[in-house]
Amino acid sequence: MTTTPFQHGFTPVTEEVTAFDLEVTGRIPAELNGRYLRNGPNPLSLDDPTASHLFLGEGMVHGVRLRDGRAEWYRNRWVRNAAVAGRLGEPVRPGPVHGGMDFAPNTHVIGLAGRTFATVEAGPLPYELSYELDTIGACDFDGGLPGGFAAHTHLDPVSGELHALAYFFGWDHHQHVVLDPKGTVTQVRDIPIADAPMVHDFAITERFVVIYDLPVTFSMPHAEKGTLLPYAWNEAHPARVGLLSRESGDLRWFELPSCWVFHTLNAYDDGDEVVVDLVSYPKGFVDARLDLGGMPTLDRWRIDLTTGRVSVSTLDDRTQEFPRMDERRTGRDYRYGYTAATRDIHDVVGPGRAEMEDLPDETFDNTLIKHDLRQGTQESRQFGRGAYVGEPVFVGSGEAEDDGYVMTYVNNPARGAADLVILAGQDFTGEPVATVHLPARVPLGFHGSWIAD
């Protein structure tokens, strides 16, 4: 029998649900008017070859709309690329395709200029969704994108510019893309890069774009033998971090100890240094597998612009992922961060494809962590047994950096469904401010956003 990663918390749902006037325990803050959205892989069929790899299932966006203290609706919708639309018996949506890669983006969902976009990396274009999460079509921002887009974008809270870093195995460069607050591409810079490395995330500061060039690169041997995601650890590719001047476009590289990074917490300028906080692994994608790279820790890099050296320290050595912070402080000095505790993922590479088997219940833990980076302390917020919890998204409310709410989907094993849990940032370990009881299970997934109306 073919094994898949979709066991326990990852098991996909099989239908789209629309529900109104959701039951709530507690009180939804009146200032939360908007949608909490989250994307993740949800294969249409576990018989598909791509269903054997955690990263390749068709994207499904789950959303809850809050307004005036009420939870007005819950919706989950597959992103309709041409293949999904065809299998659902629907017309193919119009839109461009880059490099023959028409993929149903499964990694993130963001808002820009009053529009909603599902995003993914490595070549495909984003897909635009309606307010109610129906698919409009693939988008290249009116021809502004020369190629694909990125899974992760970073919005400068002062300028309103949205930054992305795109990569594609057929390029000899990465692309730094900037969009203005109206959703128009205003700048594209090509960054020469050898070996076609993967770059899942990056960072911005007030002065720089921070680019990770790490030893996970496109692997032709794995592609030739049919590996579905042919990126692998490459000992011959040195690790380095680049600082691209946002003003001049000048680029400077700094050598790094070998490592792999999926996600950034934040970065900022500190005099003659640039500080980068991120989740780091000793290695990644060893033999194109997901389980052999070691355990992730929350680390800090200090890039010294004077000496050219990078110092590395560990902020918290517990296994954790999905770092988020108050994005009103993106690229600026900040104090608080939030992560989800995780444990190891066991996967096995089967003949011709990367498979994952027997994910333990503890793969995604039931704990969120709040980091006080100034004090060097942490608070842990645990949910019940079996209540696997996803990425924590912070929504600012007051002037203080942690004056706001942490929102996440949490499995409720007693109901066999999920809750949208809203925690107070300044009472992180206390009772939730509100718990919205959803009518369906929300599988573990990747990234999401609070998109205010």
Side-chain angles (χ1 to χ4, degrees):
M1 184 179 71
T2 300
T3 59
T4 79
F6 301 102
Q7 302 170 37
H8 309 300
F10 289 102
T11 305
V13 295
T14 58
E15 61 183 357
E16 297 177 329
V17 174
T18 303
F20 299 97
D21 295 322
L22 308 175
E23 180 186 352
V24 177
T25 299
R27 181 189 64 83
I28 296 173
E31 63 266 36
L32 291 178
N33 287 316
R35 296 167 299 156
Y36 175 74
L37 308 181
R38 203 223 62 205
N39 202 350
N42 195 98
L44 275 166
S45 170
L46 292 182
D47 294 329
D48 293 346
T50 55
S52 65
H53 197 291
L54 178 62
F55 292 174
L56 298 179
E58 291 86 1
M60 174 178 275
V61 177
H62 300 258
V64 176
R65 199 275 176 95
L66 306 180
R67 182 182 180 188
D68 297 333
R70 296 171 48 237
E72 288 196 336
W73 54 251
Y74 163 78
R75 286 178 165 88
N76 64 317
R77 296 290 187 270
W78 272 290
V79 181
R80 265 81 163 165
N81 69 336
V84 172
R87 291 179 62 173
L88 294 177
E90 300 176 0
V92 174
R93 275 65 170 175
V97 175
H98 169 244
M101 303 179 72
D102 180 28
F103 185 76
N106 65 9
T107 311
H108 207 344
V109 55
I110 63 172
L112 177 66
R115 302 161 71 186
T116 305
F117 300 95
T119 67
V120 71
E121 65 195 77
L125 291 166
Y127 262 73
E128 184 174 0
L129 310 177
S130 74
Y131 190 92
E132 290 79 19
L133 309 184
D134 296 318
T135 299
I136 296 172
C139 173
D140 61 3
F141 300 106
D142 298 319
L145 290 181
F149 200 49
H152 287 278
T153 56
H154 293 286
L155 181 73
D156 186 310
V158 175
S159 70
E161 294 176 332
L162 185 74
H163 293 253
L165 196 65
Y167 74 98
F168 176 55
F169 75 92
W171 290 348
D172 61 359
H173 58 273
H174 292 337
Q175 281 184 344
H176 171 230
V177 179
V178 182
L179 295 92
D180 68 15
K182 296 180 180 179
T184 300
V185 175
T186 59
Q187 187 177 87
V188 176
R189 286 189 174 116
D190 287 352
I191 302 157
I193 295 279
D195 301 330
M198 177 183 285
V199 55
H200 183 70
D201 199 0
F202 66 108
I204 61 171
T205 73
E206 291 181 83
R207 292 185 291 169
F208 298 107
V209 179
V210 183
I211 303 164
Y212 313 139
D213 180 14
L214 304 176
V216 173
T217 63
F218 182 78
S219 170
M220 185 55 73
H222 282 93
E224 289 173 344
K225 68 181 182 181
T227 300
L228 292 173
L229 189 64
Y231 286 84
W233 184 257
N234 181 357
E235 292 283 1
H237 187 89
R240 58 181 186 165
V241 57
L243 297 182
L244 175 73
S245 169
R246 291 176 57 179
E247 181 178 358
S248 69
D250 292 339
L251 176 62
R252 182 181 176 188
W253 291 105
F254 301 80
E255 293 183 1
L256 274 175
S258 214
C259 65
W260 168 245
V261 173
F262 274 120
H263 299 122
T264 306
L265 176 54
N266 196 22
Y268 59 92
D269 302 313
D270 186 15
D272 290 332
E273 294 186 324
V274 173
V275 177
V276 188
D277 295 338
L278 39 69
V279 173
S280 176
Y281 296 74
K283 292 184 178 182
F285 291 85
V286 177
D287 196 27
R289 293 170 53 164
L290 298 176
D291 67 326
L292 300 178
M295 307 300 277
T297 55
L298 185 64
D299 291 348
R300 169 166 288 179
W301 297 351
R302 281 192 168 272
I303 306 169
D304 192 314
L305 302 176
T306 303
T307 66
R309 294 175 181 168
V310 181
S311 64
V312 179
S313 59
T314 296
L315 300 174
D316 187 3
D317 62 2
R318 283 177 290 180
T319 304
Q320 56 201 287
E321 254 293 1
F322 296 116
R324 297 294 291 261
M325 39 76 71
D326 181 352
E327 292 175 0
R328 298 175 299 179
R329 303 295 309 164
T330 295
R332 277 76 184 168
D333 188 13
Y334 72 119
R335 179 170 180 176
Y336 299 105
Y338 307 86
T339 58
T342 61
R343 301 187 187 178
D344 201 8
I345 292 178
H346 301 278
D347 91 302
V348 59
V349 178
R353 61 177 171 229
E355 295 180 338
M356 301 178 62
E357 66 173 0
D358 221 11
L359 281 174
D361 288 317
E362 302 82 8
T363 297
F364 275 55
D365 212 333
N366 64 349
T367 303
L368 297 180
I369 305 170
K370 176 184 178 181
H371 299 269
D372 185 333
L373 301 167
R374 196 166 296 162
Q375 298 292 332
T377 58
Q378 298 89 26
E379 295 178 82
S380 295
R381 176 63 169 84
Q382 288 189 312
F383 297 86
R385 179 175 175 83
Y388 48 79
V389 58
E391 175 187 61
V393 174
F394 182 84
V395 183
S397 176
E399 291 188 9
E401 188 183 323
D402 65 343
D403 187 359
Y405 307 98
V406 178
M407 307 175 73
T408 189
Y409 289 133
V410 180
N411 178 55
N412 186 327
R415 294 196 308 115
D419 296 325
L420 172 61
V421 176
I422 304 173
L423 303 173
Q426 295 182 338
D427 187 20
F428 187 70
T429 59
E431 286 299 307
V433 173
T435 301
V436 180
H437 303 291
L438 308 184
R441 194 172 56 81
V442 177
L444 284 167
F446 296 142
H447 305 289
S449 301
W450 168 253
I451 303 177
D453 285 347

